[in-house]
Amino acid sequence: MKKIVLLAATSILFAGAASAADLAARPYTKAPVAPVAVYNWTGFYVGINGGGGSARKCWDLTNNAGVPVNPAIDEGCHDATGATAGGQVGYRWQASTWVFGVEAQGNWANFKGSNLNQAPQNLAFRFTDQSRVEAFGLFTGQVGYAVNNVLFYAKGGAAVVNDKYNNLGGGVVVPVGVVFSEGTETRWGGVAGVGIEFGFAPNWSVAAEYDHLFMGTKNVGLNLIPPVAAGPASFHNIRQDVDVGTIRLNYRFGGPVVAKY
């Protein structure tokens, strides 16, 4: 009887082992990869900016009260410096890590400076040349390289500047600080700039930007101001370059991120 029980138990043990060996191995399943959020710069944006700038102005007298001056007389140079604030609107589209865009920007400015006129003068007639950049606009294309939510970019295009000029008295005939003549102009030129922008929230970004405006030389007429003076205007070749640095805050419309596996 004991032999029969032992034989039965042994048979059951071997049968269980054989059944376990016949079972197929469980296939290995790799854990799913979580998607990574990647910043997307595509979309329309609007923003504000503020900062400062400096305009280099050099004057040459070409016509004095209707009398041509040839060769022109060097009147000296000065830097017109001050603050600026404005806004921008644009559109960007991203292709892989490259970002392309267009932008229009308009700024109020108060870049102001002066120098004592270097043309031959006497104690009766001494003048100070003064200029002020009152506003400027930029119309540019952009190309940039994105490292997720950090964008390095360059820009270039057209620039327009609104300027005001004064001749101030400083002698016996025209007292110090009295406006003797004045003129205004709107001048077109070119601009080149660089910047770095950081996306700190889903649709918000902040940037630091530097721009150089190539405004060339233009002959500008300054009209005499009655009752201090009367007669034909004087004309001056005025060369101008402008450097501007701004901090910009942008809001972009559209989805902020895309999923990348």
Side-chain angles (χ1 to χ4, degrees):
M1 184 65 180
K2 290 181 180 180
K3 291 182 180 181
I4 295 174
V5 173
L6 179 60
L7 181 61
T10 303
S11 299
I12 294 172
L13 179 61
F14 277 103
S19 298
D22 291 339
L23 291 176
R26 177 176 296 180
Y28 171 74
T29 303
K30 187 177 180 180
V33 178
V36 178
V38 177
Y39 203 87
N40 183 6
W41 292 92
T42 298
F44 288 96
Y45 64 89
V46 296
I48 57 175
N49 69 78
S54 177
R56 181 68 173 172
K57 311 270 194 173
C58 293
W59 297 35
D60 294 316
L61 181 66
T62 61
N63 187 296
N64 187 23
V67 179
V69 178
N70 191 15
I73 297 176
D74 180 9
E75 300 176 272
C77 300
H78 63 260
D79 293 320
T81 60
T84 182
Q88 62 273 349
V89 58
Y91 179 78
R92 288 175 174 146
W93 61 96
Q94 183 169 352
S96 183
T97 56
W98 292 98
V99 179
F100 306 91
V102 291
E103 182 183 276
Q105 175 180 336
N107 274 54
W108 161 88
N110 187 30
F111 304 162
K112 189 175 181 180
S114 63
N115 68 277
L116 182 66
N117 192 300
Q118 300 301 304
Q121 302 182 60
N122 54 50
L123 292 178
F125 292 92
R126 293 186 65 85
F127 299 99
T128 294
D129 299 330
Q130 183 184 78
S131 67
R132 183 169 72 247
V133 176
E134 297 185 314
F136 66 87
L138 308 177
F139 306 91
T140 57
Q142 296 182 6
V143 59
Y145 185 83
V147 183
N148 199 8
N149 63 326
V150 179
L151 177 65
F152 303 89
Y153 65 90
K155 62 191 292 186
V160 59
V161 172
N162 182 257
D163 293 296
K164 184 175 182 179
Y165 305 100
N166 292 318
N167 266 148
L168 304 179
V172 176
V173 176
V174 183
V176 175
V178 174
V179 178
F180 178 77
S181 62
E182 67 179 11
T184 61
E185 67 157 337
T186 298
R187 183 183 303 202
W188 286 87
V191 59
V194 293
I196 179 172
E197 191 160 348
F198 172 70
F200 64 89
N203 294 85
W204 292 93
S205 60
V206 62
E209 183 176 298
Y210 163 76
D211 297 298
H212 181 80
L213 283 59
F214 305 87
M215 305 310 297
T217 301
K218 188 174 180 180
N219 197 243
V220 181
L222 273 63
N223 298 306
L224 301 179
I225 305 299
V228 177
S234 61
F235 287 85
H236 311 257
N237 277 342
I238 300 179
R239 301 184 300 279
Q240 180 177 196
D241 287 287
V242 184
D243 294 286
V244 180
T246 54
I247 299 297
R248 299 151 57 93
L249 179 67
N250 288 328
Y251 178 83
R252 182 173 46 81
F253 300 92
V257 296
V258 295
K260 183 178 180 180
Y261 293 87

